[in-house]
Amino acid sequence: MSCPSSTPNYARGANSSRPSHASQAAASEPQASDAPGVSSRLAGWLRRFWGRSAAEPCPYPGTEALLPAEQALEALEGLVCEGLVRAPGAPACAGVAPKHIVSDINYLHKLWHEVKARSEKAAAPHLIHEEVGLLIGMVRDVMTEDVGRILIDSDREYKKLQRYLRTFSPNLTSRVKLYREKTPIFDKFNIEREIEKTLERKIWLKKGGYIVIDPTEALVAIDINTGRYVGKKDQEETIFETNMLAAREIPRQLRLRDIGGIIVIDFIDMEKEANRRKVLAELRQNLRKDRSRAKAFAVSELGLVEVSRKRVRPSLLHFFSDECPYCKGSGRVLSFDSLANKIEQWIRRVGSRTKEKRIQLRVNSSLALYMEEERRQILDAMERQYKLKIEIQDDPRLHREDFKLVSLSSFRDLMQEVT
C-alpha cells in the first residue's frame, strides 16, 4: 500500500496484470467521520501489523502488500473491540473511541473498493483518485458530534460536499445547510470580529477575570488574573473560581489560535491542595477535546503548569499578522523621556566637539511636541552653555525613535561627525 499526499493517482488500465499503485492508495485517505485525522495514521498501522513477511520479496517497489481488505478489516475491528488500540507503534490512535476507529476502517474499506473499481474500468491515462479539496478537508477535520450544523454560502461547494457525504458519511448530510440569506454570511454571524478576538492578547472570562496570552520565541506564556471579579465568599474561593474558568477557556483558546509547542500557565496561587488538583483535572479534561495531542504536566514548585501541544502549522497569529515594523516585534518602544535624554546627550557631544553655531534637531512630530513642551528649558540652558542655537523641526516620516542633528549652515550630518 502506498501513501501519496495530494498527488493525483492514475490507473494503468483495465487490462494490466499488475495491480495499480493508485488503487492501493485509497487507504491513506482521511475520513469525514467523528474521528477526523485518524485514517492516514491508521493506514500506517495496518502496514505494520498486517504487512508481508520480511523474508517475502516485495512484488511492487515502494509498496507493502496487505492481507485481503476483508481480513484486515475483520482483524483490526477485533483488536479495537478488545481495547488494543493503545498498542506500541500506534500512539495517534491511543484514547480514540473504538466506534470512531471502526468508522474509519469502514470508510477506508469503501473508498478502497471504489478506487479499485475505477482503476479496473478506466483506460490509462485516467484520474481515478485525488486528495480532497479545502472545503471537504476542513469539514472532515471539524465535523464531530459537537457540531450541530455547517452553513455554506456557495451552491457549487454545497453540492460538492453533499455528494461526498452521501458517499462516505450519509448520516452527516443533514447537518450541512446552504446559506441563502442576502446578508453576507460573515456579517450575519460577526465572523470578522471573532477572528479579531483570537488575535487579542487579553481574553475576558465570564465573571470579570481575564487571561493574558504572550507568545515568545521559545514558548507561550499564559497568565490569569481576577480582574473585576469579586467573589461572594473568601478570597480563596474567588481565586479558585477564576482558575476554574481559565482552565476551561485556555484549551479553547489553544484550539482557536492553533497554538502549539510549549505552553506555560501561571494560575493564581491557591492555598488548598484540593483546589489545585481540581483546577489541573479541569484543564486536563478540557484538553481531551483537542484533536492535536496535548498534555498537561503536574504543577511545578513555582506553581506553574506546563502544557505541550503538537504543533501542526503556524499559529493563527502568525497567519494573520506580520511583525510590527515600528517595534520590530518587541511590543515596546522607547518612552519620550528616554528619547529626550538620548537627544540631549548628542547635543552635548556636538556642542563640545564642533564649532557649529546653529543646529537643527529633526524628530518625529509627536516627539517634537514633547521636546517643545517638556524639555524647552533644558534646551535653552544648553544653548547658553555651548553658545549655539537649537531649532526643532518635526518630520512625520521619521520613526518615533529616530532623530537627526543637522548643521543649518552646511546641512551636514553632525551625528556622523562626532561619532
Side-chain angles (χ1 to χ4, degrees):
M1 179 174 65
S2 62
C3 291
S5 54
S6 59
T7 306
N9 305 315
Y10 294 88
R12 290 180 172 274
N15 299 325
S16 174
S17 60
R18 171 176 169 177
S20 167
H21 290 193
S23 67
Q24 295 178 334
S28 69
E29 177 79 9
Q31 114 182 58
S33 75
D34 290 335
V38 175
S39 300
S40 59
R41 300 189 289 269
L42 191 57
W45 195 31
L46 280 167
R47 287 200 302 274
R48 291 194 293 273
F49 280 86
W50 287 277
R52 38 170 281 282
S53 167
E56 180 184 345
C58 181
Y60 313 121
T63 65
E64 299 175 35
L66 294 177
L67 290 176
E70 292 80 3
Q71 294 182 33
L73 177 64
E74 182 180 350
L76 185 54
E77 283 183 345
L79 276 187
V80 170
C81 294
E82 293 171 15
L84 297 180
V85 293
R86 296 180 181 273
C93 294
V96 176
K99 66 174 183 178
H100 295 160
I101 299 182
V102 171
S103 176
D104 242 9
I105 297 169
N106 292 332
Y107 162 79
L108 293 174
H109 190 223
K110 186 174 184 179
L111 181 61
W112 172 283
H113 282 289
E114 289 197 2
V115 175
K116 189 171 185 294
R118 285 197 292 268
S119 70
E120 292 171 348
K121 295 177 183 178
H126 185 83
L127 178 66
I128 59 170
H129 176 68
E130 65 179 334
E131 178 68 26
V132 296
L134 175 64
L135 172 65
I136 294 175
M138 183 273 297
V139 171
R140 176 191 65 200
D141 289 343
V142 304
M143 186 69 96
T144 65
E145 295 173 350
D146 297 331
V147 178
R149 62 173 179 163
I150 291 181
L151 296 177
I152 303 176
D153 60 353
S154 166
D155 185 65
R156 178 172 171 271
E157 297 297 331
Y158 170 77
K159 291 177 180 177
K160 182 192 298 185
L161 181 57
Q162 285 288 359
R163 284 196 300 271
Y164 176 85
L165 292 177
R166 278 196 295 270
T167 302
F168 298 113
S169 299
N171 60 310
L172 301 179
T173 55
S174 61
R175 302 191 199 180
V176 180
K177 308 292 183 182
L178 179 62
Y179 182 79
R180 300 178 182 275
E181 298 184 26
K182 292 183 178 180
T183 306
I185 193 169
F186 268 42
D187 293 344
K188 173 72 174 180
F189 297 98
N190 202 18
I191 301 298
E192 288 185 359
R193 175 55 189 150
E194 291 301 315
I195 293 174
E196 290 172 1
K197 284 167 65 176
T198 62
L199 304 179
E200 293 176 356
R201 180 170 172 263
K202 181 184 289 188
I203 302 97
W204 288 97
L205 301 174
K206 290 182 179 179
K207 295 187 177 182
Y210 63 89
I211 62 178
V212 177
I213 301 178
D214 282 320
T216 68
E217 191 70 24
L219 51 83
V220 176
I222 301 180
D223 187 43
I224 296 96
N225 294 279
T226 54
R228 299 189 299 259
Y229 179 44
V230 179
K232 297 179 180 179
K233 299 181 180 180
D234 59 15
Q235 186 178 15
E236 175 75 9
E237 187 65 21
T238 299
I239 292 173
F240 171 68
E241 290 186 18
T242 303
N243 281 339
M244 288 293 282
L245 290 171
R248 299 180 191 116
E249 181 64 23
I250 288 172
R252 176 175 174 270
Q253 291 296 325
L254 296 182
R255 295 193 300 272
L256 287 175
R257 298 168 184 245
D258 219 349
I259 295 174
I262 300 173
I263 301 104
V264 177
I265 306 172
D266 184 10
F267 285 104
I268 307 172
D269 291 338
M270 293 173 288
E271 295 181 1
K272 297 179 180 179
E273 179 63 29
N275 287 345
R276 288 196 287 267
R277 288 198 298 268
K278 288 178 183 177
V279 169
L280 183 59
E282 185 70 21
L283 177 66
R284 286 172 171 169
Q285 177 65 30
N286 283 274
L287 285 173
R288 292 192 185 100
K289 302 175 184 178
D290 203 333
R291 290 185 294 109
S292 295
R293 282 200 300 273
K295 180 179 180 181
F297 296 86
V299 181
S300 71
E301 293 181 2
L302 296 176
L304 305 175
V305 175
E306 298 174 12
V307 174
S308 65
R309 185 175 186 269
K310 185 178 179 181
R311 193 193 306 275
V312 179
R313 60 185 68 85
S315 69
L316 210 63
L317 180 65
H318 285 82
F319 184 79
F320 278 108
S321 64
D322 292 322
E323 183 182 90
C324 173
Y326 224 77
C327 69
K328 304 301 182 184
S330 70
R332 310 287 295 181
V333 291
L334 285 175
S335 65
F336 284 150
D337 190 57
S338 298
L339 288 169
N341 291 336
K342 195 173 181 180
I343 289 170
E344 289 162 10
Q345 290 297 328
W346 276 102
I347 293 175
R348 290 188 177 93
R349 292 189 188 103
V350 171
S352 61
R353 300 179 190 178
T354 70
K355 296 181 179 180
E356 292 296 329
K357 298 301 178 184
R358 296 176 63 237
I359 65 174
Q360 185 181 74
L361 170 62
R362 296 178 183 174
V363 292
N364 181 274
S365 302
S366 55
L367 182 55
L369 182 62
Y370 177 84
M371 294 296 293
E372 285 285 5
E373 293 183 349
E374 303 294 333
R375 295 299 181 103
R376 188 69 253 184
Q377 289 183 354
I378 296 176
L379 294 178
D380 291 342
M382 286 194 291
E383 285 181 339
R384 292 191 296 270
Q385 180 181 355
Y386 297 106
K387 296 180 175 55
L388 53 77
K389 180 67 176 176
I390 303 172
E391 176 185 301
I392 299 177
Q393 177 66 46
D394 66 281
D395 186 347
R397 295 171 299 178
L398 287 176
H399 187 280
R400 169 185 164 122
E401 295 182 355
D402 290 341
F403 58 90
K404 297 179 180 179
L405 288 173
V406 180
S407 169
L408 282 175
S409 59
S410 60
F411 298 102
R412 304 189 321 277
D413 187 342
L414 298 176
M415 293 175 66
Q416 271 193 337
E417 288 188 14
V418 299
T419 300

